[in-house]
Amino acid sequence: MDRAVKPQTEPDPYESAVEAIIEACGGDPREAVIALLGERDYLAGRVEALERSVSWGFVRAGAAR
């Protein structure tokens, strides 16, 4: 019998990170989501602070404020 060869799929790069995050949150996926949302908000705040500190004299034309 001629069987088609299944292509090997690459492992999902996020799979181990997801497992580690859930484990760090005591195995509770809901707590992991809450932690990730908090981290997202923190990082968004950092981006906003950095954007405010940028010298707009060095920003390319077309991105004027």
Side-chain angles (χ1 to χ4, degrees):
M1 294 173 94
D2 187 23
R3 292 186 189 178
V5 177
K6 285 186 179 180
Q8 283 192 341
T9 58
E10 293 185 27
D12 184 353
Y14 294 117
E15 190 64 35
S16 62
V18 168
E19 293 300 324
I21 292 166
I22 293 172
E23 183 179 326
C25 292
D28 185 352
R30 186 173 189 280
E31 289 297 319
V33 170
I34 291 169
L36 290 171
L37 290 172
E39 183 70 12
R40 180 203 59 188
D41 291 344
Y42 168 77
L43 291 173
R46 293 286 299 144
V47 168
E48 289 173 9
L50 290 169
E51 286 176 341
R52 286 191 301 270
S53 70
V54 168
S55 171
W56 287 100
F58 291 103
V59 176
R60 294 180 188 261
R65 286 195 154 217

